[in-house]
Amino acid sequence: MSDTRSSSLGMWSQRLLAALLLGGQVIVHLLRGKIHRRNTLDQMAAVGPESLLIALITAAFVGAVFTIQVAREFIQFGAGNAVGGVLALALTRELAPVLTAVVLAGRVGSAFAAEIGTMRVTEQIDALYMLKTDPIDYLVIPRVIACCLMIPALTLLSLVTGMLGGLLIVTNIYNLSQSTFLDSARNFLSVWDICSAAVKAACFGILIAIIGCSWGLTTTGGAKGVGQSTTAAVVTALLAIFISNFLLTALMFQGTGSAVLRGI
């Protein structure tokens, strides 16, 4: 049992190193300007519009649930006019980028790993080499660009949808006025908060694409290997999202300061 665990951990470490190397190769190839535009547009459609509905549904219910938890406490202490601002800060800085990335890791990251993993075990990757086509240019870079561009867009749409979910809750359940809710959100938020959400989402998108593609490219063992790679890619992407979120948050929001006091 211990030998199996150590071998699994060693294999995971090797594939993680391969993902880091793949990230470096992507940077080099991008600097050379090698972009397959048609593949990139196809992947943007797969990552963006096809993932829009599930991302918005998730954001709407998250915004509604968070508002229920916050509003009942804030109103009890006479701070109902701060509910909109607190929800806006939570969604913008953490909930919208992280939850959107988690949804996309499950939907898009798994698809990348399964698709490219199937191509690997059926020797389609070798066929690309025979045709003098670099898989990084043809398969990886379009997916990285698509995730880097589409996930920030989905995050901003999720932010708006989450705010609408919260607005429906406070106006229909807690009898707060719409203007109070929206004015609070506008006073609490700053341009930097919106920018930080977009930066986080872009970083998460790059991680999802690199990990999904790398785990696909290193797939072995036929159909069973494809399933294992897909599962491992999603789990690794989720870990990468949470760890990078901590690092980005520590980098972006160091020091003291209070958006709540600024907005009141």
Side-chain angles (χ1 to χ4, degrees):
M1 182 68 71
S2 60
D3 292 340
T4 302
R5 290 179 179 175
S6 61
S7 63
S8 299
L9 181 59
M11 180 62 70
W12 182 83
S13 301
Q14 292 177 10
R15 299 180 88 169
L16 184 61
L17 179 60
L20 295 174
L21 295 176
L22 179 62
Q25 290 177 298
V26 167
I27 294 174
V28 172
H29 285 240
L30 282 174
L31 293 176
R32 294 175 181 173
K34 293 185 176 182
I35 299 174
H36 286 260
R37 290 177 175 80
R38 182 175 179 180
N39 283 358
T40 301
L41 292 176
D42 290 342
Q43 293 303 322
M44 289 175 67
V47 175
E50 294 182 14
S51 304
L52 179 61
L53 182 60
I54 186 173
L56 296 188
I57 292 174
T58 301
F61 281 98
V62 167
V65 169
F66 187 87
T67 302
I68 291 174
Q69 296 292 347
V70 170
R72 65 193 300 268
E73 302 296 338
F74 276 44
I75 292 174
Q76 182 73 21
F77 289 98
N81 60 343
V83 172
V86 172
L87 174 63
L89 287 177
L91 284 172
T92 306
R93 294 183 178 181
E94 294 297 328
L95 295 179
V98 172
L99 291 179
T100 302
V102 167
V103 170
L104 269 293
R107 186 191 180 279
V108 176
S110 61
F112 289 171
E115 183 179 355
I116 296 178
T118 302
M119 294 179 68
R120 168 59 73 184
V121 299
T122 57
E123 299 182 352
Q124 295 180 52
I125 301 294
D126 298 329
L128 289 177
Y129 284 115
M130 293 292 292
L131 295 172
K132 299 186 184 301
T133 301
D134 193 329
I136 295 177
D137 293 334
Y138 191 75
L139 298 174
V140 179
I141 288 180
R143 287 167 169 79
V144 172
I145 294 175
C147 287
C148 186
L149 295 179
M150 288 293 100
I151 293 183
L154 289 174
T155 296
L156 296 179
L157 292 174
S158 296
L159 169 61
V160 175
T161 306
M163 291 298 298
L164 291 177
L167 179 61
L168 290 175
I169 293 298
V170 297
T171 55
N172 291 290
I173 297 180
Y174 296 102
N175 297 321
L176 292 177
S177 67
Q178 178 177 334
S179 59
T180 300
F181 182 87
L182 296 178
D183 289 343
S184 174
R186 184 174 61 252
N187 292 334
F188 279 45
L189 282 182
S190 65
V191 176
W192 171 241
D193 293 320
I194 305 295
C195 293
S196 68
V199 170
K200 280 188 175 184
C203 293
F204 297 156
I206 293 172
L207 290 172
I208 291 170
I210 292 293
I211 291 171
C213 292
S214 178
W215 256 252
L217 289 171
T218 55
T219 298
T220 56
K224 181 179 179 181
V226 172
Q228 292 174 342
S229 292
T230 302
T231 303
V234 173
V235 172
T236 305
L238 293 176
L239 288 174
I241 289 169
F242 296 140
I243 294 172
S244 62
N245 179 57
F246 167 76
L247 297 175
L248 290 170
T249 300
L251 181 64
M252 293 177 177
F253 299 103
Q254 287 183 355
T256 58
S258 177
V260 175
L261 295 178
R262 184 182 69 237
I264 295 177

